């Protein structure tokens, strides 16, 4: 098991992608999305977000019938948030939430987080608070979600900026 370094990544993935298992367009598209998603795993991956977002958009544009997995949707949404493409992020996370099964708490949590982060980025504090609160109302208070601290921060920020004394008190407790 040799370690794969960032500089070797593209070559190694190119060899993997040339395999005979990726003969269908859907598998080729998913492989390209997986390569784009590596920016979340590699050191200093955030510097490569614009290129990853571009790859996501190209693959989705070339495969309009491709239905993204929850993980692909969440990665695409996070890249859109980083690029401040809020209208597209709103659609991506709204679709994720609309298509999530009622029992799929992870997808629902990702959808609520994404909608809240989008609203926060747009300066819509009331909507951000509502979406982040929905995440916090999932089973276990949403404590299992990787973005629960950002959700708590969003609720506290919205409450702090509110003119309601009860909201200000909630902000101090968070």
């Amino acid at each position: 098991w040799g370690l794969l370094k960032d500089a070797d990544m593209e070559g190694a993935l190119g060899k993997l992608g040339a395999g005979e298992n990726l003969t269908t367009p859907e598998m080729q598209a998913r492989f390209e999305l997986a390569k784009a998603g590596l920016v979340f795993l590699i050191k200093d991956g955030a510097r490569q977000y614009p290129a990853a977002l571009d790859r996501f958009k190209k693959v989705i544009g070339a495969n309009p019938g491709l239905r993204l997995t929850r993980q692909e949707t969440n990665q695409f949404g996070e890249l859109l948030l980083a690029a401040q493409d809020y209208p597209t992020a709103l659609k991506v996370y709204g679709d994720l939430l609309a298509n999530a099964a009622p029992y799929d708490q992870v997808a629902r949590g990702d959808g609520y987080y994404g909608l809240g982060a989008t609203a926060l980025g747009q300066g819509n504090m009331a909507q951000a608070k509502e979406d982040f609160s929905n995440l916090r109302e999932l089973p276990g208070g949403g404590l299992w979600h990787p973005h629960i601290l950002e959700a708590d921060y969003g609720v506290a920020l919205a409450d702090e900026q509110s003119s309601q004394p009860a909201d200000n008190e909630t902000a101090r407790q968070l």
Side-chain angles (χ1 to χ4, degrees), residues 111-131:
Y112 288 134
Y113 163 74
L115 291 174
T118 300
L120 189 65
Q122 293 175 317
N124 186 342
M125 295 301 179
Q127 186 62 53
K129 179 181 177 179
E130 181 180 332
D131 293 326

Side-chain angles (χ1 to χ4, degrees), residues 8 35 38 43-44 67 72 92 127 134-135 172:
D8 303 329
K35 285 176 20 180
L38 289 174
K43 184 178 178 182
D44 296 326
R67 187 170 170 156
E72 291 164 346
V92 166
Q127 186 62 53
N134 286 334
L135 168 58
R172 280 192 280 283

Side-chain angles (χ1 to χ4, degrees), residues 56-67:
F56 260 92
K57 287 181 176 181
K58 284 180 181 174
V59 170
I60 292 168
N63 300 277
L66 182 67
R67 187 170 170 156

Side-chain angles (χ1 to χ4, degrees), residues 86-120:
Y86 299 126
T88 308
L90 187 63
K91 179 175 180 356
V92 166
Y93 282 115
D95 289 349
L96 175 62
L97 194 56
N99 293 322
Y103 56 83
D104 189 349
Q105 302 306 318
V106 175
R108 293 169 50 82
D110 289 346
Y112 288 134
Y113 163 74
L115 291 174
T118 300
L120 189 65

Side-chain angles (χ1 to χ4, degrees), residues 21-35 59-60 62-69 72:
N21 294 332
L22 301 177
T23 56
T24 68
E26 180 181 351
M27 287 307 297
Q28 291 170 352
R30 295 218 181 275
F31 183 69
E32 288 300 314
L33 293 175
K35 285 176 20 180
V59 170
I60 292 168
N63 300 277
L66 182 67
R67 187 170 170 156
L68 299 180
T69 66
E72 291 164 346

Side-chain angles (χ1 to χ4, degrees), residues 147-167:
H147 293 292
I148 192 63
L149 293 177
E150 289 99 327
D152 285 344
Y153 171 78
V155 170
L157 183 63
D159 283 344
E160 183 181 72
Q161 293 183 6
S162 172
S163 60
Q164 302 297 318
D167 288 344

